[in-house]
Amino acid sequence: MKDGGRSEGLNCWDYWGAAQLIVGHPFDTIKVKLQSQPAPQPGQPPKYAGAMDAVRQTLAAEGPRGLYKGMGAPLATVAAFNAVLFTVRGQMEALLRSQPGAPLTVSQQIVCGAGAGVAVSLLACPTELIKCRLQAQSALAGSGPEAVAVAVKYGGPMDVARHVIKSEGGMRGLFKGLVPTLGREVPGNAIMFGVYELLKQSLAGGQDTSQLGGAL
């Protein structure tokens, strides 16, 4: 992507991110439910026998909307997520260039991607905490006399945020799991932008990729 087309490129990434969320969120909901369900008592079956059973129970108890619980927070922040990602990457590119407009090496793009990954982790961590709390609460509720009790019934993303800030250490509570988030975003973005640059340079036959066109 060229700097002059940054706004257009961000819009494309925003649409792609939103579409990815809409299609993939039900699968993520089922994953979180399976991961967060309490261990069954001896001799008792687990709450969900598998992925399809989790889908059936969710639809029966909550309807199709149950598969999209927790989507509001990541959907609301997808534009901000991409803006932070590409803005920080662009600033790091400017810092690493020997002179304005000079091409960067693949290694330098890896560094830029890693730095952008640090920045987006600070946004992704609280967003995903809220998402997972909303997705998991029905799995943790259980049923029967020995079921795990859920002390809090969240009304939505803002309700989760308010509860966490009030009862789990203030703003720091929203950043639980930051280290694993960094462990995903930093190498993930480093590899993504490094491979992207490597492919561009392979197509261009050298470090100067300015002639490849705005699509790249």
Side-chain angles (χ1 to χ4, degrees), residues 30 49 52 56 58-59 66 68 72 82 87 99 103-104 110 124 132-133 139 144 146 150 157 160 187 197-198 202 209:
I30 298 305
M52 291 308 300
R56 282 192 292 269
T58 300
L59 291 174
Y68 287 92
N82 287 322
T87 299
Q99 58 185 19
L104 298 180
I110 289 174
C132 289
R133 292 286 180 93
E146 296 181 332
V150 176
V160 177
E197 185 64 25
L198 180 62
S202 297
T209 62

Side-chain angles (χ1 to χ4, degrees), residues 28-203:
D28 187 65
T29 297
I30 298 305
K31 172 185 71 77
V32 171
K33 288 193 173 193
L34 290 171
Q35 290 175 330
S36 61
Q37 65 177 326
Q41 297 295 321
Q44 298 296 317
K47 177 167 184 170
Y48 302 118
M52 291 308 300
D53 185 44
V55 172
R56 282 192 292 269
Q57 289 194 44
T58 300
L59 291 174
E62 306 172 59
R65 291 180 63 182
L67 295 173
Y68 287 92
K69 275 192 173 178
M71 192 177 74
L75 190 61
T77 57
V78 65
F81 187 94
N82 287 322
V84 169
L85 178 70
F86 286 101
T87 299
V88 172
R89 178 200 174 204
Q91 291 298 316
M92 292 199 67
E93 285 179 333
L95 288 172
L96 292 176
R97 284 193 173 99
S98 57
Q99 58 185 19
L104 298 180
T105 66
V106 173
S107 296
Q108 287 173 320
Q109 287 290 358
I110 289 174
V111 172
C112 293
V118 172
V120 297
S121 294
L122 299 175
L123 180 62
C125 187
T127 298
E128 292 182 357
L129 182 144
I130 291 169
K131 172 184 73 70
C132 289
R133 292 286 180 93
L134 290 171
Q135 289 173 319
Q137 61 182 353
S138 62
L140 292 171
S143 59
E146 296 181 332
V148 175
V150 176
V152 180
K153 182 70 174 179
Y154 300 116
M158 293 306 297
D159 191 31
V160 177
R162 281 192 295 267
H163 174 81
V164 171
I165 292 170
K166 182 178 179 180
S167 61
E168 299 182 33
M171 291 297 295
R172 291 181 60 185
L174 292 173
F175 290 90
K176 287 180 179 178
L178 178 60
V179 172
T181 304
L182 287 165
R184 180 194 67 195
E185 295 293 339
V186 172
N189 282 288
I191 292 170
M192 179 178 74
F193 287 115
V195 170
Y196 176 64
E197 185 64 25
L198 180 62
L199 291 174
K200 285 202 305 178
Q201 292 187 15
S202 297
L203 291 172

Side-chain angles (χ1 to χ4, degrees), residues 12-28:
C12 290
W13 279 102
D14 294 344
Y15 293 139
W16 170 258
Q20 189 177 34
L21 274 172
I22 292 168
V23 172
H25 194 82
F27 297 96
D28 187 65

